[in-house]
């Protein structure tokens, strides 16, 4: 009887463990199947025309990270807003807006203890002015370096504390080279899987995204101490070179003067470049695909690949 009872107990424990593991697996699969689909909006005018609206509806885009303004350090060593976005379209109720602010690295070299207060006040004022409503998340984008990390982390800790009092979470972009450093004080990170090479070199054929440039950084991703989403590029660059020397990016036709012998080189990631990167990230840290963000939402970019390819990225 004792042996039988022991056997029954063992079987019950095993069945319970199996049920727990099955439940966890199902929850993980459910979470993965419901990947959040998001876009960055990086223009100075917020205008959602029919093409953008149809793209977001077709691909079930839930969130838009809207660049509200930049923060630059002026000649008086003051950190001030620049290139503030204008809202020409109402914000749709079926997409969540995440105000995003790009802070130039030089701003972190000044001892600006009030930056967090001013930033939050300005974002909330813009939300009210443009009828955005209460937001759940704000994102900071900054290409901080080792020399500015301490100041940036201090700013982020202060900003996060103020946001939490408002019931808002804080996310931070994470560049590949920043993965080797401790995670910033934020609630979430967004890994920027682009701008991996030096576009100023004519010999670099894939400066936007080259899996060979990404792989060396992945050893730091698996144990990175933040929940991580991933942003992929869907843009291209037209680069002007003169005698093999980089001159600039051609945002518009005839934006830069051209001389005889000048060369315009187009750089654009292929769908295979993006999917190869996605596979490598997925194998390293599956949860970084719980949210996928495309950079960025404009009419040129959303027509760069076919609809099936966008689904492959988002899927």
């Amino acid at each position: 009887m004792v042996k039988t009872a022991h056997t029954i107990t063992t079987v019950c424990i095993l069945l319970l463990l199996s049920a727990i593991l099955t439940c966890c697996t199902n929850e993980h699969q459910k979470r993965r199947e419901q990947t959040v689909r998001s876009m960055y909006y990086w223009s100075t005018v917020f205008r959602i025309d029919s093409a953008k609206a149809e793209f977001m509806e077709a691909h079930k885009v839930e969130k838009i990270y809207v660049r509200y303004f930049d923060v630059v350090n002026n000649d008086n060593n003051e950190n001030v807003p620049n290139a503030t976005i204008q809202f020409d379209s109402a914000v749709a109720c079926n997409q969540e807006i995440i105000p995003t602010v790009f802070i130039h690295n030089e701003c972190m070299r000044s001892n600006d203890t009030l930056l967090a207060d001013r930033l939050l006040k300005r974002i909330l004022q813009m939300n009210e002015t443009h009828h955005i409503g209460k937001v759940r998340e704000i994102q900071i984008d900054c290409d901080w370096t080792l020399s500015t990390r301490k100041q940036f982390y201090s700013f982020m800790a202060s900003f996060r504390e103020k946001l939490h009092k408002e019931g808002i979470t804080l996310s931070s972009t994470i560049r590949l080279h920043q993965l080797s450093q401790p995670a910033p004080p934020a609630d979430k990170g967004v890994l920027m899987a682009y701008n991996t090479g030096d576009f100023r070199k004519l010999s670099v054929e894939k400066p936007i995204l080259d899996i060979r440039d990404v792989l060396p950084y992945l050893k730091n991703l698996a144990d990175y101490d933040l929940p991580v989403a991933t942003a992929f590029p869907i843009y291209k660059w037209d680069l002007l070179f003169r005698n093999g020397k980089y001159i600039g990016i051609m945002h518009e036709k005839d934006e830069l003067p051209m001389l005889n012998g000048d060369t315009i080189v187009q750089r654009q990631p292929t769908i295979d470049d993006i999917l190869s990167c996605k596979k490598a990230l997925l194998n390293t840290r599956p949860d970084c695909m719980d949210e996928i963000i495309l950079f960025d939402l404009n009419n040129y970019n959303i027509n760069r690949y076919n609809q099936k390819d966008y689904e492959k990225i988002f899927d």
Side-chain angles (χ1 to χ4, degrees), residues 39-98:
M39 302 290 297
Y40 275 110
Y41 194 101
W42 219 256
S43 302
T44 54
V45 177
F46 185 82
R47 183 180 297 118
I48 302 298
D49 57 18
S50 59
K52 296 186 187 75
E54 289 169 7
F55 177 89
M56 290 192 288
E57 182 179 359
H59 297 290
K60 300 179 176 61
V61 173
E62 301 175 40
K63 299 166 69 173
I64 311 177
Y65 292 77
V66 180
R67 188 206 63 85
Y68 271 30
F69 53 89
D70 299 345
V71 179
V72 300
N73 190 257
N74 65 16
D75 294 337
N76 298 321
N77 198 30
E78 298 170 329
N79 294 331
V80 296
N82 184 58
T84 300
I85 195 169
Q86 299 177 16
F87 284 84
D88 279 7
S89 295
V91 175
C93 60
N94 56 336
Q95 270 108 27
E96 179 184 353
I97 297 296
I98 296 89

Side-chain angles (χ1 to χ4, degrees), residues 108-314:
M108 292 297 116
R109 302 189 191 280
S110 63
N111 187 26
D112 190 347
T113 58
L114 298 178
L115 179 59
D117 290 289
R118 298 201 311 275
L119 220 59
L120 178 56
K121 182 180 179 180
R122 195 167 202 270
I123 292 170
L124 295 181
Q125 284 178 339
M126 289 179 65
N127 289 343
E128 182 177 356
T129 299
H130 300 291
H131 309 290
I132 306 297
K134 182 173 175 57
V135 298
R136 297 189 294 178
E137 176 185 346
I138 291 175
Q139 183 169 117
I140 296 296
D141 179 19
C142 180
D143 191 6
W144 54 267
T145 58
L146 284 176
S147 63
T148 57
R149 186 187 71 185
K150 183 178 179 180
Q151 185 65 24
F152 176 71
Y153 282 26
S154 176
F155 156 75
M156 289 290 282
S158 174
F159 194 47
R160 181 175 63 173
E161 182 180 357
K162 297 178 189 303
L163 291 187
H164 284 185
K165 290 179 181 179
E166 299 285 340
I168 302 171
T169 61
L170 174 62
S171 61
S172 175
T173 57
I174 308 295
R175 286 159 175 78
L176 288 168
H177 71 85
Q178 295 170 342
L179 283 173
S180 62
Q181 302 300 312
D187 301 301
K188 182 183 81 176
V190 174
L191 182 63
M192 297 170 64
Y194 49 88
N195 294 359
T196 60
D198 191 346
F199 60 88
R200 297 166 299 181
K201 295 182 179 179
L202 186 57
S203 59
V204 178
E205 297 181 356
K206 294 186 177 184
I208 295 178
L209 178 57
D210 191 330
I211 187 61
R212 295 172 298 180
D213 295 327
V214 174
L215 292 176
Y217 294 99
L218 297 191
K219 62 181 182 294
N220 301 308
L221 176 61
D223 298 322
Y224 195 70
D225 193 21
L226 267 185
V228 178
T230 303
F232 291 111
I234 57 171
Y235 59 90
K236 74 174 180 70
W237 282 331
D238 290 324
L239 306 177
L240 178 62
F241 286 88
R242 181 170 299 148
N243 298 322
K245 182 180 178 181
Y246 170 77
I247 301 299
I249 299 177
M250 301 281 283
H251 297 288
E252 301 288 342
K253 186 178 180 181
D254 300 328
E255 180 181 11
L256 298 173
M258 292 190 62
L259 305 179
N260 290 335
D262 284 358
T263 304
I264 296 179
V265 177
Q266 187 176 100
R267 302 303 193 203
Q268 174 182 338
T270 66
I271 187 64
D272 288 338
D273 292 329
I274 298 172
L275 295 180
S276 294
C277 182
K278 178 183 175 182
K279 181 179 179 180
L281 294 173
L282 191 60
N283 289 338
T284 303
R285 184 167 173 169
D287 68 307
C288 70
M289 294 301 150
D290 285 355
E291 181 182 359
I292 292 175
I293 314 170
L294 301 187
F295 188 93
D296 72 317
L297 181 64
N298 69 47
N299 289 3
Y300 296 105
N301 292 340
I302 61 179
N303 289 303
R304 206 167 300 287
Y305 309 101
N306 63 50
Q307 299 303 303
K308 290 182 179 179
D309 286 338
Y310 285 113
E311 282 300 303
K312 289 177 183 178
I313 300 172
F314 276 132

